[in-house]
Amino acid sequence: MSKNLYIFDCFGVVVSDVSTLWMNKHFDSAQQQYVRREIFRKVDCGKMSFDASFDLLAKMCGEEKQKIKEEWDDCLYPLHETLAVLSELRKAGHTVVLLSNAATEYIDRIFTQYELFGYFDKLFVSSRYGVAKPDREFYRICVEDFSEKFDKIFFTDDNPANLQNLQEFGITPVLFTTAEKLRADLQIR
């Protein structure tokens, strides 16, 4: 039997893309690009706390920080069809890990709230490592963490920019659009 490593992004694959859902309600595309570059990237790389990012968002949109946090939470939900795929992969004996651009404290809160820890063998959260996708160093950290050899390595993400230049690590990129397409792409019956 083959033993594969399946790497999954979090937001937009395992749970809703909460930041995009929230920002679409509050900012135009230029503001969203600014927020991703100047705020979220710093959070993702551990240079700004998740809580401090809400202070900046509150200033930008003129709302109370607590209201923004509540709206943010309203945009968050697990993608159950993807979770079913993760369960099947683990039951088949494969290794399933998370590789996410996020603040560690936020991932911990989400995973506790929705009981997601059991779906993964290991979590790689960018703020813990000080580097985020699509930086090649983050992929290297993930793949080299495992001493065992895998027959195949797959990385599933909903952002095409995060799926570039993975061949040097032996990673097959999989663009996520739906869980049904994911099943077909990973050849899960």
Side-chain angles (χ1 to χ4, degrees):
M1 179 184 136
S2 66
K3 172 88 171 174
N4 297 333
L5 173 61
Y6 291 92
I7 307 166
F8 289 89
D9 175 41
C10 186
F11 300 100
V13 178
V14 175
V15 299
S16 58
D17 187 355
V18 62
S19 64
T20 299
L21 293 172
W22 183 84
M23 287 197 303
N24 284 342
K25 296 177 184 177
H26 295 276
F27 299 133
D28 63 29
S29 62
Q31 290 170 311
Q32 288 185 33
Q33 288 178 355
Y34 172 83
V35 169
R36 288 185 196 291
R37 184 181 64 248
E38 299 299 325
I39 299 174
F40 294 159
R41 191 69 180 176
K42 290 177 183 173
V43 172
D44 291 345
C45 291
K47 294 176 178 15
M48 178 187 296
S49 74
F50 186 62
D51 190 62
S53 72
F54 282 97
D55 291 325
L56 297 175
L57 293 174
K59 285 180 186 175
M60 285 183 70
C61 66
E63 291 187 18
E64 293 292 322
K65 179 179 176 177
Q66 187 56 39
K67 183 174 188 280
I68 292 172
K69 285 184 170 186
E70 290 168 6
E71 290 176 355
W72 193 273
D73 287 345
D74 289 343
C75 293
L76 179 67
Y77 51 88
L79 301 179
H80 295 287
E81 293 88 4
T82 302
L83 296 176
V85 171
L86 301 179
S87 289
E88 291 173 40
L89 292 171
R90 292 207 60 216
K91 284 179 185 168
H94 299 294
T95 300
V96 177
V97 303
L98 183 85
L99 184 75
S100 182
N101 288 354
T104 304
E105 68 267 23
Y106 189 52
I107 291 291
D108 288 345
R109 184 169 72 93
I110 292 169
F111 274 56
T112 299
Q113 178 179 349
Y114 292 109
E115 300 178 348
L116 300 176
F117 288 107
Y119 291 94
F120 296 93
D121 295 291
K122 185 158 185 172
L123 308 180
F124 294 88
V125 182
S126 61
S127 66
R128 184 175 295 138
Y129 297 93
V131 63
K133 299 175 292 179
D135 189 316
R136 293 161 52 195
E137 178 67 8
F138 198 25
Y139 305 106
R140 186 194 63 72
I141 289 168
C142 176
V143 171
E144 289 183 2
D145 188 73
F146 296 93
S147 58
E148 68 184 289
K149 292 290 183 199
F150 296 100
D151 295 303
K152 293 182 182 175
I153 303 172
F154 298 92
F155 175 52
T156 301
D157 199 306
D158 61 320
N159 183 347
N162 292 336
L163 295 171
Q164 304 301 312
N165 304 313
L166 300 178
Q167 293 76 15
E168 72 179 276
F169 303 107
I171 299 173
T172 301
V174 178
L175 180 63
F176 181 85
T177 54
T178 67
E180 183 178 333
K181 184 175 178 307
L182 177 63
R183 283 180 180 285
D185 290 345
L186 297 178
Q187 301 176 353
I188 299 171
R189 310 217 186 287

